[in-house]
Amino acid sequence: MEVPRLETCIPLPLENVVLEELVDKAKDWALMNGAAMRSKLKFSKNELQFAPFMLLPSTFPKREFEKAVEIQPILNELMHKVAHNYEFLSESLKSTIEVDDFTKRLFHIYETVRNEGFAQPISLGLIRSDLMLESDPETCIGKECCPKNVIEKQGRVLCNPYCCWKQVEVNTIASGFGWLGPASRVIQRYVLQELGRVDLLPHLPENNALQGLCGGMIEAWKLYGKPESVILFVVEDVSYNICDQRFHEFEIRKMEPKVRVIRRTLTDLGKRSVLTKEKKLIIDDLEVAVVYYRAGYEPGHYHSELEWETRLKVERSCAIKCPSIQYHLAGTKRVQQALASPAVLEKFLDPSIAATVREIFTGLYSLDLSDEGNAAVEMALKNPAHYVLKPQREGGGNNLYGDEVKTMLEKIGKSKERCAWILMERIIPPVQRCYLIHPKSDAPLYTDVVSELGIFGVIIGDEKVIQKNFQVGHMLRTKIATSNEGGVSAGYGALDSPFLVEMESCCHPAVKK
Ligand code: ADP
Ligand code: MG
């Protein structure tokens, strides 16, 4: 069966002797430079394991990369405006919070602090917009495929190798890989050099995600305006993705030597933090200027009422939150779906800009108990392989695909539980064949893979004024083509970076020749 394919940056496979030596060196490079994680099988604070990575960078069309970079400040602004629009958030999440307890609790915190009056008007957004190349012309606006450039796969006409890119999701909480993203580029740079291909290095775009994200936190710390105050990382009970987090800490100290970063769990904060009369958040005698959540995005991070009370306590404080509760809600799947509904983007953006943003959305459908929701269910039941069913969860491993979509939709039928989910068109990305290096296996896996690009953005501001708004870098995650999900921390994907090439695409108006 034919699938749209991208050529790799160098001809493969490599000779065995070359490959073996290269893989050994690359693994050691990764370990010795902190492209690593803690093992989930055998956790120890004293040990690290290299993070799964692709031996060579993945081919990615330069024009699409540049478009993604260019649009990021607009997406930042959109999320900022959505986060500050109570009517839109409450209307979009109304049916979801009736059935999804986690989102309901978050929303309740939002309403509580809103009614009391926000102690801190400024929010810090460290956002990551994730996208995949799309080979299915059906979802692209203004499709007009060049007949030379299409192939058939399972009775579908697909663009070869792709026609545009589509957004997978926007992360507003714990947007990780600010370190592991750039680190993958450096591993692969080293590998290309070892292969004698210095000539290819200009194809690897600069990536200063770590400095950009840490710069955002430092900026927020300065706005808080107390030299002795600290930046607090709210972390999981056990952090597997420790290098990514620690490198942020190290970088902050490097960029602004006066700032101290502390790490606490929601439980620690529950037991030992204090909210003063002036709404200062104090933990272990330290005043917190900025709260950066690397936890708190899934129900498992809240063991009891204590952690929920703590989240509310933090939101009530005058510390600058990343994200604030309203930013967290703006990043839910349900809000993403609501933004894709007709005439919604225009509420937030100029019409011409709204039209550009609409092009990056694929089909997103509400499953509310309405005619619209019923029609979406019918469509999905007819063709489950074309859709992904998503609950209001983050962190990977929660979505349903193919037959699972059908089974779940049949199970929930017309019960209210349907409102907890959204339906999304399944993106079909082109594949390429490369070596995936995984700590679970000694031998590299030479296999077909697909990639997901994440672009980082930083935004700081309050309801009225946006003070800073930048794109700051990127990360690429790559997974085996047959696997549904690609999270590296969740164990499905591998670190990667884009190898940019000029490439034709046939049917997207924005990239038409
Ligand atoms: P999470 O918040 O758990 O990261 P995502 O929406 O990013 O949820 O989905 C997780 C993964 O599932 C993505 O990284 C991607 O690999 C895959 N995925 C999500 N949406 C789609 C889609 N519409 N088409 C194809 N794959 C998808
Ligand atoms: Mg995701």
Side-chain angles (χ1 to χ4, degrees):
M1 183 178 49
E2 222 184 340
V3 283
R5 220 164 245 289
L6 295 166
E7 272 179 38
T8 40
C9 59
I10 58 167
L12 295 178
L14 298 171
E15 266 181 62
N16 271 345
V17 260
V18 176
L19 181 65
E20 257 176 49
E21 188 182 354
L22 197 58
V23 168
D24 275 353
K25 278 189 186 177
K27 281 183 186 174
D28 285 344
W29 193 100
L31 265 175
M32 294 171 196
N33 288 275
M37 291 182 168
R38 298 242 201 261
S39 164
K40 283 196 176 164
L41 287 177
K42 196 170 123 296
F43 178 85
S44 159
K45 274 195 178 179
N46 301 340
E47 285 174 31
L48 285 173
Q49 200 171 50
F50 69 84
F53 66 95
M54 299 306 298
L55 188 62
L56 292 158
S58 288
T59 300
F60 199 91
K62 184 161 183 269
R63 199 174 356 200
E64 305 304 333
F65 179 84
E66 285 167 356
K67 184 181 151 196
V69 163
E70 208 174 290
I71 208 168
Q72 189 59 40
I74 298 171
L75 299 179
N76 293 344
E77 183 186 331
L78 174 64
M79 295 321 283
H80 187 83
K81 289 183 174 165
V82 168
H84 288 94
N85 190 322
Y86 173 75
E87 284 70 32
F88 180 70
L89 283 180
S90 51
E91 187 54 36
S92 307
L93 293 167
K94 196 167 70 189
S95 60
T96 312
I97 61 180
E98 282 179 29
V99 280
D100 187 288
D101 193 52
F102 182 66
T103 315
K104 179 178 162 184
R105 298 200 78 156
L106 294 175
F107 195 80
H108 181 65
I109 292 176
Y110 172 44
E111 290 214 297
T112 307
V113 285
R114 185 173 181 270
N115 291 338
E116 290 172 0
F118 295 107
Q120 175 54 263
I122 296 172
S123 288
L124 166 64
L126 301 182
I127 290 173
R128 200 187 70 217
S129 164
D130 291 339
L131 61 100
M132 283 164 121
L133 289 177
E134 170 71 286
S135 297
D136 183 356
E138 288 295 312
T139 57
C140 279
I141 301 173
K143 61 210 163 189
E144 213 185 286
C145 291
C146 158
K148 277 196 307 220
N149 276 347
V150 296
I151 55 173
E152 280 211 26
K153 183 195 170 196
Q154 292 173 329
R156 286 173 102 168
V157 172
L158 297 179
C159 288
N160 191 18
Y162 78 96
C163 46
C164 56
W165 57 259
K166 293 291 177 188
Q167 183 174 73
V168 174
E169 65 156 347
V170 181
N171 301 282
T172 56
I173 183 162
S175 313
F177 291 78
W179 159 248
L180 289 175
S184 346
R185 173 182 179 273
V186 198
I187 304 177
Q188 293 172 336
R189 193 185 145 86
Y190 171 71
V191 167
L192 286 173
Q193 284 168 333
E194 286 298 296
L195 287 166
R197 296 306 306 266
V198 179
D199 59 308
L200 297 179
L201 300 184
H203 290 267
L204 302 175
E206 282 277 304
N207 192 357
N208 298 314
L210 186 66
Q211 292 75 12
L213 297 170
C214 293
M217 286 191 255
I218 293 169
E219 199 60 43
W221 175 81
K222 285 183 181 157
L223 283 171
Y224 190 82
K226 296 250 180 86
E228 68 291 348
S229 64
V230 300
I231 298 180
L232 164 71
F233 284 22
V234 177
V235 295
E236 318 92 310
D237 298 329
V238 180
S239 294
Y240 295 103
N241 195 6
I242 189 71
C243 295
D244 197 59
Q245 296 181 11
R246 285 284 190 211
F247 271 83
H248 284 73
E249 290 182 40
F250 304 155
E251 188 64 26
I252 288 171
R253 193 56 114 177
K254 195 156 117 195
M255 289 172 71
E256 181 51 78
K258 290 192 219 86
V259 187
R260 174 161 175 202
V261 174
I262 59 168
R263 297 166 62 84
R264 300 290 186 273
T265 63
L266 280 170
T267 316
D268 293 333
L269 286 168
K271 289 184 182 152
R272 303 203 302 277
S273 68
V274 184
L275 188 64
T276 68
K277 272 210 305 291
E278 304 79 33
K279 305 277 165 121
K280 288 181 197 164
L281 181 66
I282 311 281
I283 169 105
D284 302 334
D285 297 326
L286 298 164
E287 180 171 350
V288 178
V290 179
V291 181
Y292 172 55
Y293 286 101
R294 287 295 293 236
Y297 54 82
E298 63 167 50
H301 297 158
Y302 299 81
H303 309 302
S304 64
E305 287 308 306
L306 179 71
E307 288 76 16
W308 281 109
E309 285 158 16
T310 308
R311 181 77 193 261
L312 176 59
K313 189 198 279 185
V314 173
E315 294 303 324
R316 277 177 164 150
S317 78
C318 62
I320 298 176
K321 273 79 69 182
C322 175
S324 55
I325 191 77
Q326 62 270 34
Y327 252 81
H328 186 170
L329 290 167
T332 52
K333 309 261 185 309
R334 174 62 195 208
V335 168
Q336 181 193 11
Q337 179 270 314
L339 283 171
S341 304
V344 171
L345 282 173
E346 286 75 3
K347 287 186 193 164
F348 300 101
L349 302 169
D350 283 348
S352 66
I353 296 177
T356 323
V357 173
R358 175 150 303 108
E359 280 181 13
I360 70 171
F361 291 166
T362 191
L364 284 151
Y365 308 95
S366 148
L367 292 176
D368 276 2
L369 301 177
S370 60
D371 288 349
E372 192 196 338
N374 293 341
V377 169
E378 215 171 288
M379 206 167 62
L381 288 177
K382 256 192 222 147
N383 224 335
H386 288 200
Y387 299 95
V388 182
L389 193 57
K390 298 189 175 186
Q392 307 306 309
R393 292 292 169 273
E394 305 292 329
N398 302 299
N399 301 336
L400 300 179
Y401 302 83
D403 287 344
E404 297 165 342
V405 172
K406 189 161 183 270
T407 312
M408 180 54 86
L409 286 178
E410 283 170 350
K411 186 176 143 217
I412 52 185
K414 286 204 172 170
S415 70
K416 266 194 167 179
E417 198 197 329
R418 216 171 78 181
C419 309
W421 300 80
I422 63 151
L423 187 72
M424 185 172 184
E425 210 98 33
R426 182 162 190 168
I427 303 166
I428 306 183
V431 304
Q432 52 196 304
R433 179 163 276 227
C434 197
Y435 296 103
L436 194 158
I437 316 297
H438 204 285
K440 282 189 198 147
S441 136
D442 284 337
L445 193 60
Y446 185 48
T447 182
D448 278 354
V449 291
V450 295
S451 299
E452 181 173 346
L453 177 68
I455 306 285
F456 289 106
V458 172
I459 184 160
I460 305 178
D462 60 22
E463 192 170 358
K464 297 206 176 72
V465 184
I466 293 175
Q467 305 188 16
K468 304 271 174 204
N469 179 8
F470 320 107
Q471 175 273 331
V472 295
H474 60 272
M475 51 84 87
L476 192 75
R477 273 170 307 174
T478 293
K479 63 178 180 183
I480 298 177
T482 50
S483 139
N484 286 326
E485 302 237 350
V488 180
S489 309
Y492 308 106
L495 306 180
D496 198 357
S497 62
F499 183 88
L500 300 186
V501 291
E502 307 279 355
M503 202 188 291
E504 293 301 318
S505 90
C506 63
C507 63
H508 197 260
V511 292
K512 214 170 193 172
K513 278 218 307 176

